[in-house]
Amino acid sequence: MNWLTTRRSFALMVAPALIVYSLYMIYPILYSLYYSFTRFDGVSAGGFAGLDNYRQMAHDDAFWTSMRNTGVVLGIALFLLVPLGFLLAILLSGRVKGSGALRALVFAPAIIAPILVGLIWIFILDPKIGLVNAFLLAIGVPAQPQWIGGPTLSPYSIGLVYLWQQIGFVLTIFYAGLRMLPRDVMEASSLDGAGRWQQLRHIQIPMMRETFGIVTALVVTGVFKVFELVYALTGGGPVHLSEVMVSYMYHITFTTQQYGYGMALAVVVFVVGALASAATFLGNRRKGEVR
């Protein structure tokens, strides 16, 4: 009877949050799924379109370009952002003079609104007024790369700006994980003659496997929410060559007012992001079981 009472109390405490979650999360997902099968244009009711929106997506070159660009940003995040964040956490976790100020300085971009980050980097990467090309011109480099607004380098520039914005956040999580490691293990390994590299490879990294999993999951989900940086840096241009999945979905839905097709894109973004997150969690879980 006590168990029943405890379970009922738990259900009553969870119910308000579950109701709010259902209203603000589950309902919009189902709403988008419904309209992805229609020709809704935001004004008229439209009609049932079946799988036409998804067939259109399969032949939409701009959509595949946005997916490829999202993959570029995701690759930069996984193979540069996560390792560099961990490396900086290692460097700043030691007895470095001014490490507190350095951590605050590195974390500062993470608290700036992404739209402002994009505006800041326009003055750095813009082919005509940017500081990078001005520096290259000053040292005698004749070619002026189109870091943003060009047909090839824009996705990579967006990925690097995203790295700059998020590296302080990633560093903070890794730094907290390093501070939670038991000191007696590190001291015992030092007494046994383990060097700094051996401690890092055989003690710190294995003991921080869960932290790596959390950071990777946050990075993966964050990439599928990148929008403001693209909007500020390139606007998705030229001719949608720098779009990511979310920015292209926004363009189709709110600029061209193809709400049915836009909702189909939103459903695909949700599914791809969910699958990527699930793959990340399963991969980390299997690594933990193998260990």
Side-chain angles (χ1 to χ4, degrees):
M1 199 68 180
N2 186 36
W3 172 81
L4 182 62
T5 304
T6 304
R7 187 175 183 181
R8 182 179 299 174
S9 301
F10 178 77
L12 290 174
M13 288 187 291
V14 172
L18 184 60
I19 293 172
V20 173
Y21 179 81
S22 300
L23 289 175
Y24 288 94
M25 294 294 296
I26 297 177
Y27 175 74
I29 293 172
L30 297 177
Y31 183 87
S32 300
L33 182 63
Y34 168 75
Y35 277 104
S36 70
F37 295 105
T38 69
R39 298 184 181 90
F40 181 56
D41 61 1
V43 180
S44 61
F48 184 71
L51 296 175
D52 289 349
N53 289 324
Y54 294 94
R55 293 192 187 99
Q56 179 182 349
M57 196 183 309
H59 299 89
D60 188 348
D61 292 337
F63 165 71
W64 292 109
T65 299
S66 70
M67 182 173 282
R68 183 174 63 251
N69 293 340
T70 302
V72 170
V73 178
L74 180 61
I76 291 174
L78 290 177
F79 297 106
L80 289 179
L81 174 58
V82 175
L84 285 177
F86 180 67
L87 178 61
L88 285 175
I90 289 289
L91 294 176
L92 296 178
S93 63
R95 295 181 179 178
V96 180
K97 188 176 181 180
S99 59
L102 289 174
R103 288 195 300 271
L105 186 63
V106 175
F107 184 75
I111 63 176
I112 302 175
I115 192 72
L116 296 180
V117 172
L119 292 175
I120 292 170
W121 278 87
I122 285 177
F123 292 98
I124 299 174
L125 297 177
D126 188 273
K128 296 181 179 179
I129 64 171
L131 294 176
V132 174
N133 279 0
F135 173 76
L136 293 176
L137 185 63
I139 63 176
V141 177
Q144 301 296 302
Q146 285 189 299
W147 304 105
I148 55 176
T152 55
L153 295 179
S154 295
Y156 300 94
S157 298
I158 292 169
L160 292 176
V161 173
Y162 180 74
L163 182 152
W164 179 82
Q165 181 195 12
Q166 295 294 323
I167 194 167
F169 176 68
V170 172
L171 179 151
T172 302
I173 298 176
F174 278 130
Y175 179 80
L178 289 170
R179 299 290 291 181
M180 291 177 64
L181 294 180
R183 292 186 179 182
D184 53 348
V185 175
M186 301 298 295
E187 293 173 357
S189 64
S190 299
L191 293 176
D192 289 337
R196 194 71 183 89
W197 168 250
Q198 291 175 317
Q199 290 179 334
L200 176 64
R201 180 181 178 184
H202 298 290
I203 299 176
Q204 291 178 309
I205 292 179
M207 294 183 71
M208 291 187 63
R209 195 176 300 275
E210 292 184 0
T211 305
F212 273 98
I214 293 171
V215 170
T216 304
L218 291 174
V219 166
V220 169
T221 55
V223 167
F224 286 95
K225 295 186 290 184
V226 172
F227 168 72
E228 295 94 332
L229 290 181
V230 178
Y231 186 83
L233 286 171
T234 67
V239 291
H240 304 298
L241 290 177
S242 63
E243 299 273 19
V244 294
M245 296 177 72
V246 175
S247 66
Y248 185 59
M249 180 269 294
Y250 176 88
H251 170 78
I252 291 295
T253 306
F254 299 105
T255 303
T256 67
Q257 295 184 338
Q258 301 178 57
Y259 284 88
Y261 186 38
M263 292 302 99
L265 291 169
V267 170
V268 171
V269 172
F270 171 76
V271 171
V272 173
L275 290 175
S277 301
T280 302
F281 280 113
L282 289 175
N284 293 325
R285 183 177 180 181
R286 288 179 180 177
K287 288 180 182 179
E289 291 175 353
V290 171
R291 185 186 65 176

